[in-house]
Amino acid sequence: IFKDKLFFFGSYQGTRKNGANNGLSAQVPSQAERGGDFSELLPVQLTNPDTSSPYQFVNNVINPLAFDPTALYILKHIPLPNAPSKGPNWLDYNGAATVQNTNEYLGKIDYNVGKHHFSAHYLQLNYTVPTTLPPTSNILVGNTVDPQNLGVKNVSVVDIYTISPKVLLNSYFGWNSQTGVTGSAAPFNIAQAGSNIAIPTNFPATLNVGVNGYFNVGLQAASGTWNRGDISDREIVTLVKGSHELQLGGEWKRIHVPMGNSYQADGEFFFTNGLTGIVVDGTQLPGDNLADYMLGDFSSFTQGGGLYLNFTGNEWNFFVKDNWHATKRLTLSLGLRWDPFVPYTDSAGRVACYVP
């Protein structure tokens, strides 16, 4: 802008991605299995882990009244197998469209005045993934990337001050901010499907069910806000004296992490251990994870209280360094750094807990 004094640079980049994961597949219950007939699995013998139930397997056939209502509700939204040549449980389907939009803005300025060289830049990034709900006929179709709206901003200011030919002061100021909101691509939550668990209502609920070797529904860890930011200042003094180049400096950073989301609060159900296997001589033989699912016998269940916090904290560090040019071919560097760790604190003293 002004010759040898003021320089400016700016840019914009927009990225648009539109695609879909076609050619997906899953193993889903056949019509016979939805009616209680698992004889296709023979000679693997199945048993009902609930030995007190009036409904037990006979030659791998069980009364469908034994099936879990929540499992049946979810199955209403999962189609039957459609590729018999590939297997009795094979389902081919196409994934939902995935749209990702990114906008990046960058501005940079440099200014020379007297013994100072100033430079500053501003970066802003906006990233969005719209929510795509799966059709009710097949909830396996859904966002392959979590729906979200992410904003990142960064400001950096640098002053290089030449105090004298042998003394230099570098000053750095930084400000960073990230604001993120994650949505949910689940058409319903596990409580609406019939499971008797508490579900948060302040964020869109996710749905997380995994049947190992067969199909997964959702598997999105959380929805909510994921905000964070910091402000920092770094000062470095350089002194050249004879064959020594001495540096003394330090940095201070203020961290701020306000966050509220449903991390693991919606419940995660996994069927992985084949609990329907029979017991022979005190050893349980492998069963079938799909049969486990139909009966509602999950291998693991995880539920947390979400992440609700307002962390703040300070980070400090100081250093001193000497670059000694002993000879034209030998430079020795000796330094000392103090970098303490001070745990962050929550403004309200909160700690996540689980109340059954």
Side-chain angles (χ1 to χ4, degrees), residues 11-48:
S11 69
Y12 164 79
Q13 177 176 315
T15 304
R16 305 292 183 265
K17 293 184 179 180
N18 295 274
N21 286 338
N22 295 327
L24 301 179
S25 64
Q27 305 295 309
V28 298
S30 65
Q31 186 65 63
E33 289 165 334
R34 298 178 194 222
D37 185 353
F38 290 83
S39 58
E40 183 74 30
L41 297 175
L42 291 171
V44 175
Q45 295 284 342
L46 300 181
T47 186
N48 189 345

Side-chain angles (χ1 to χ4, degrees), residues 208-226:
N208 303 282
V209 177
V211 185
N212 189 42
Y214 285 92
F215 62 86
N216 296 315
V217 178
L219 300 190
Q220 179 182 334
S223 62
T225 59
W226 309 80

Side-chain angles (χ1 to χ4, degrees), residues 56-57 100 147 159 181 258 261 273 311 344:
Q56 298 296 322
F57 282 99
Q100 301 178 66
D159 175 22
V181 178
N261 54 70
N273 289 343
F311 276 171
Y344 304 154

Side-chain angles (χ1 to χ4, degrees), residues 105-329:
Y105 308 88
L106 174 65
K108 184 176 181 181
I109 189 171
D110 287 271
Y111 182 49
N112 294 316
V113 55
K115 296 182 178 182
H116 293 269
H117 173 77
F118 295 99
S119 65
H121 87 257
Y122 172 76
L123 171 67
Q124 178 175 325
L125 180 147
N126 298 318
Y127 173 72
T128 59
V129 179
T131 300
T132 302
L133 293 178
T136 57
S137 59
N138 186 3
I139 60 172
L140 303 181
V141 177
N143 283 67
T144 53
V145 179
D146 292 346
Q148 58 191 281
N149 191 335
L150 173 67
V152 176
K153 296 178 181 179
N154 170 263
V155 174
S156 174
V157 179
V158 179
D159 175 22
I160 301 176
Y161 175 29
T162 306
I163 300 175
S164 72
K166 294 186 178 182
V167 181
L168 187 69
L169 173 62
N170 290 1
S171 301
Y172 305 86
F173 169 81
W175 176 81
N176 296 288
S177 171
Q178 173 181 306
T179 55
V181 178
T182 303
S184 171
F188 54 83
N189 61 51
I190 197 69
Q192 292 170 332
S195 182
N196 187 24
I197 67 171
I199 296 292
T201 59
N202 50 339
F203 298 113
T206 60
L207 183 62
N208 303 282
V209 177
V211 185
N212 189 42
Y214 285 92
F215 62 86
N216 296 315
V217 178
L219 300 190
Q220 179 182 334
S223 62
T225 59
W226 309 80
N227 299 340
R228 65 197 65 192
D230 64 74
I231 184 172
S232 63
D233 178 65
R234 179 159 43 110
E235 304 290 334
I236 300 175
V237 177
T238 302
L239 171 64
V240 177
K241 187 173 183 180
S243 58
H244 293 268
E245 180 185 299
L246 300 172
Q247 286 189 330
L248 175 66
E251 181 178 19
W252 165 79
K253 180 183 289 188
R254 176 71 171 176
I255 307 293
H256 185 208
V257 187
M259 189 177 296
N261 54 70
S262 64
Y263 179 67
Q264 293 186 332
D266 301 317
E268 299 175 353
F269 298 80
F270 293 99
F271 302 81
T272 60
N273 289 343
L275 300 178
T276 46
I278 63 174
V279 177
V280 177
D281 296 330
T283 301
Q284 185 176 29
L285 300 181
D288 182 68
N289 293 327
L290 182 58
D292 291 0
Y293 167 79
M294 300 292 283
L295 294 172
D297 293 314
F298 51 83
S299 305
S300 67
F301 166 66
T302 302
Q303 186 176 31
L307 290 177
Y308 299 92
L309 48 89
N310 184 30
F311 276 171
T312 56
N314 294 297
E315 296 180 0
W316 302 86
N317 65 75
F318 300 94
F319 76 93
V320 59
K321 181 180 180 182
D322 179 15
N323 293 322
W324 177 33
H325 303 282
T327 69
K328 292 182 178 180
R329 295 185 177 184

